[in-house]
Structures are given as structure tokens and as C-alpha cells.
Amino acid sequence: MTGTTLNYLFTRRQKYEAIIRKILYKTQVYARMSPDDKANLISLLQEHMGVYVGMCGDGANDCGALKQADAGISLSEAEASIAASFTSKVQDISCVITLLKEGRCALATTFSAFKFIELYSMIQFFSTTLLYYKGSNLMDNQFLYIDIVVLFPLAIFQSYTGAYHVLTSDIPQDSLLNAPVMLSTLGQAAIQLLSLILLVDLGRADIGDALF
């Protein structure tokens, strides 16, 4: 499809909405497109196909499309790098695969960090509440040991998690407020709470009510 044809459809996109959707679904090659035509194409894909659009460009004539795209990748450090969200030192589209893998890794690590912080807070709340119920509490040295020896290394190593070497077809979750994330966090919290209660009962049985 040429830029002239695309521009004709773009100016009449409300009238030919069904036709535009079919054309966008089947068209694989676009040629002889002006900078505005490239930006209009991305806008049509976002509006009529409901997809996230990536764009690679290496010149000033790609700035509009790079800015319009959900993920713009500049293949040069010239004018295009100003409008693009990302700049690649690799001068070909193989950087798209790397960007997708690293993006998924960052998203997965962020979700894991959220669950890690939530579980740590819940576990500490449960353990402190049970100790208060028994008339006791953790000492300052114990809190310091938990934070420095147990939690700090886990947080450091978690941030160094690298991307998987193969880009899979699985679509990651894009929101924290969804069933898999919330059920995983709440399920782990319930397991920790039941484990603490079980340990308290076992300690009472072994040591006795007078000492526990």
C-alpha cells in the first residue's frame, strides 16, 4: 500500500471503518509514505485494530511515527533519538527482540518485587501479632538480622535477574490488580499465617504453656 492510498483512507476513516480494518489486517508492505503517512498508519492500527504498535526509524522523517507509536525505537543517535522512547546501538530491527525480552523481564521483576514487599510486610505483621498475643516481641538485634541478613540479599539478587534467552508467546500481565497476582500474594500470606499458627501450637506442645 502506498502513502497516497493510506492518506485517502485516513481522511475517510469514519466512513470506511470496516474496510480499513480488513486492509490493515492483511497488508504487509507499505511504501512511498511521507512522515505524516507513517504517523497516520500507526494511529489507524491503534484505533481500528486495538493493538500496541512498535516503530523503528533512523531519520528525521520518522520522528512523528516514533512519537505516535507505543514503543518507538531509534536506530541512530541523530534526530530520531529525540522522539523515540528507546535508542538502539544495533543498526537493524533485531533490537526489537532484545527490547521485548528486557521489557518483559523488567515487568516480571517489578511484579515479583511487589509480591516480595507485600509478603514481607504480612509475615512480619503476623509474627509480631502472635508474639504480642503471647506477651513477647522480637528484639532489636533480631529485627536487624532479618533486614540485613535475610531480606537485603534477596532484594539485591532479585534485581539482578536477567531476561530469558528465548522470547515466548506468553503475554505477561500488565496490571497488579488482576487475579493471578492477587491470588498468589494472598495465597502465600495464608500459607505463612497457617505455618506460624502451627509452629506456635507445636512449641506449646513441646515446651508447655508455662514457658511458651
Side-chain angles (χ1 to χ4, degrees), residues 128-186:
T128 304
T129 302
L130 286 173
L131 288 173
Y132 275 137
Y133 178 73
K134 294 300 180 181
S136 180
N137 193 13
L138 294 173
M139 299 177 61
D140 293 339
N141 292 335
Q142 291 174 314
F143 278 114
L144 189 64
Y145 175 84
I146 294 173
D147 290 337
I148 295 179
V149 179
V150 178
L151 297 177
F152 184 71
L154 289 175
I156 293 296
F157 290 133
Q158 187 178 35
S159 64
Y160 276 96
T161 302
Y164 190 59
H165 63 280
V166 176
L167 184 63
T168 65
S169 59
D170 298 330
I171 299 177
Q173 300 292 334
D174 58 354
S175 174
L176 288 172
L177 300 178
N178 58 70
V181 176
M182 301 306 296
L183 290 176
S184 174
T185 304
L186 295 177

Side-chain angles (χ1 to χ4, degrees), residues 73-90:
I73 307 175
S74 172
L75 301 180
S76 70
E77 298 182 2
E79 299 89 349
S81 62
I82 300 175
S85 304
F86 305 94
T87 301
S88 174
K89 294 183 179 180
V90 180

Side-chain angles (χ1 to χ4, degrees), residues 80-108:
S81 62
I82 300 175
S85 304
F86 305 94
T87 301
S88 174
K89 294 183 179 180
V90 180
Q91 306 300 314
D92 56 63
I93 62 174
S94 63
C95 61
V96 176
I97 303 299
T98 303
L99 179 63
L100 290 174
K101 291 192 294 185
E102 293 296 334
R104 289 189 176 190
C105 177
L107 185 62

